Amino acid sequence: MTHISTETDHMISNIGRELKVRIESGQLNNPAMIGIHTGGTWVAQRIHQHLEIETPLGELNISFYRDDFSRKGMQPQVSPSRLPFKVDDRHIILVDDVLYTGRTIRAALNEIFDYGRPATITLVVLAMRDGRELPIQADIVGGHFELESHQQIKLQGPNPLSLRIMDV
Amino acid sequence: MSTRDDIPLFASSPTNIQFDNKGRLRHFLSIEGLKKKVLCDILDTAESFSSVPQQSIKKVPLLRGKTIVNLFFENSTRTRTTFELAAKRLSADVINLNITTSATSKGESLLDTLHNLEAMHSDMFIVRHAQSGAAHFIAQHVSPNISVINAGDGQHAHPTQALLDMFTIRRHKGEFGALKVAIVGDILHSRVARSQIQALTTLGTNEVRIIAPKTLIPAHAETLGIHIYHDLKEGLRGVDVVIMLRLQYERMQGALFPSEHEYFHLFGLTEEKLSVAKTDAIVMHPGPINRGVEMDSAVADGVRSVILEQVTHGISVRMAVMSMAMQQGENE
């Protein structure tokens, strides 16, 4: 198992800097941030605090939008989605920990659109690895990883946040 | 072919039939035989569903393409409507079968009706029936891909009502271990009370009390591990939760109490009688309420009443039960 925890904070800082440029340039005017439960929310909390975004952080639990429900069922958990703002016409920053197949993001996009019609959605991920199964790419990426098919990258947290690569 | 008269009066133990061979919920017929973890899993999942009504599109796609049949052999407004709404919020297609105008009233047997609905590729039956054990009987006779949910059978069980009550109590009071809960009224005819007592006991409630005249308490009630009171004020002293029940005239045979007026005088909940409960006690009722019989309007509409919240929570809890019973999947 490889730990790359020392780089995690650095990667989050880089994401923050890049987002700040987009916000200050007016490209993302008055944005609202949403983290995907649970790892995405951990990362989003850090960035949200760092950038001092006024709108409270939203959280999505995409369990009910997954495409593998009938095969895997669901894990009971107390985590309703909470979007404490109107989505309509907002610039949304969607944050997840790892972008792999793209299926989680597909589910998250569908759920967001059930809340309203955002102006734009910017996808931010801490780690992006190969293995995409859908035409989905992130806009801002903390780090790129090329992994073997038997390897998995996972974010552990919330304190401290550390990315780990492990064999499955 | 069997007829409705073949339905057994009492359900046999539904312990095994409620789960598939992998231990996942397949039918939801009774609280009896369900472990604490199963009940908590349903309540937790219901909690996750509680945010769906805040979406501008109040739906999740979980049961898209599934067909759910509301099979109500007995009248219902709240239960049928909230089951229908729950199914629709899960994106399922719902058919409400009005039994009084259906083929059953033209002489078709219950099993023939079921087999016809199966032939239409239904995935789930929500069943209410005046006979105890009806949902269990149907669950035993449906094909393996169909789930059956009990929406009330005779005097036996009403498990989703009990769970939405547990959900409401948990929202207000947290853990059950420290709670004293009183159930007041027509315990004898109440499937709701039976399911509530089983759920409260399974969840580890500190003390469960039933308060009723002797004529409205079932024989051997003391074997349920509960405390029995015949005086309302005595029974309400120090409780955290008061659950009022409706007098079920439709199931009563003979005179079980002198008059509604006297019943209200002795067992009707008023602000004055409620004053002996804890100051933050909540008041619940599964509905429909008979104002001035079980409870005073001032209590039903008062600050401690959570009766309308129960209705709202019924949707989340039924979404949880339906989606969990449907997750036995295509990989079988």
Side-chain angles (χ1 to χ4, degrees), chain A residues 59 61 64 79-83 111 115, chain B residues 46-58 60 171 316:
Chain A
E59 182 173 20
N61 170 9
F64 306 140
S79 56
S81 295
R82 284 180 302 105
L83 294 192
E111 181 163 357
Y115 279 87
Chain B
E47 196 67 59
S48 296
F49 280 121
S50 63
S51 64
V52 174
Q54 280 137 42
Q55 300 177 189
S56 49
I57 297 169
K58 297 188 218 26
V60 294
R171 271 276 180 103
S316 306

Side-chain angles (χ1 to χ4, degrees), chain B residues 131-257:
Chain B
Q131 293 265 22
S132 300
H136 188 259
F137 173 81
I138 291 170
Q140 281 175 314
H141 289 86
V142 291
S143 21
N145 59 315
I146 293 182
S147 293
V148 177
I149 309 288
N150 185 3
D153 62 327
Q155 299 176 27
H156 173 241
H158 194 351
T160 58
Q161 175 70 44
L163 277 192
L164 74 88
D165 295 333
M166 299 307 115
F167 186 88
T168 308
I169 294 172
R170 196 174 77 160
R171 271 276 180 103
H172 283 270
K173 301 289 171 191
E175 283 306 305
F176 287 83
L179 298 183
K180 289 180 181 163
V181 179
I183 305 172
V184 187
D186 186 358
I187 315 284
L188 179 65
H189 301 101
S190 177
R191 54 193 175 209
V192 174
R194 269 169 192 70
S195 292
Q196 284 169 337
I197 291 167
Q198 287 164 349
L200 286 165
T201 311
T202 307
L203 291 167
T205 307
N206 181 278
E207 193 178 320
V208 181
R209 302 176 183 179
I210 56 173
I211 310 171
K214 283 181 182 154
T215 50
L216 293 179
I217 290 182
H220 312 300
E222 66 282 355
T223 59
L224 296 168
I226 51 181
H227 298 76
I228 301 169
Y229 291 83
H230 303 299
D231 181 280
L232 182 58
K233 258 188 150 174
E234 204 184 312
L236 289 181
R237 202 169 300 281
V239 298
D240 302 273
V241 177
V242 186
I243 302 173
M244 302 303 294
L245 298 175
R246 183 176 66 87
L247 286 173
Q248 307 214 4
Y249 296 109
E250 70 274 24
R251 297 185 216 284
M252 288 184 192
Q253 291 170 341
L256 297 172
F257 52 90

Side-chain angles (χ1 to χ4, degrees), chain B residues 1 9-10 13 49 90 152 165 174 253 270 275 279 281 288 305 322 329:
Chain B
M1 199 56 68
L9 185 61
F10 297 106
S13 171
F49 280 121
L90 292 165
D165 295 333
Q253 291 170 341
T270 59
S275 64
T279 49
S305 164
M322 283 194 237

Side-chain angles (χ1 to χ4, degrees), chain A residues 31-42:
Chain A
M33 186 173 280
I34 299 171
I36 298 176
H37 180 80
T38 48
T41 306
W42 296 336

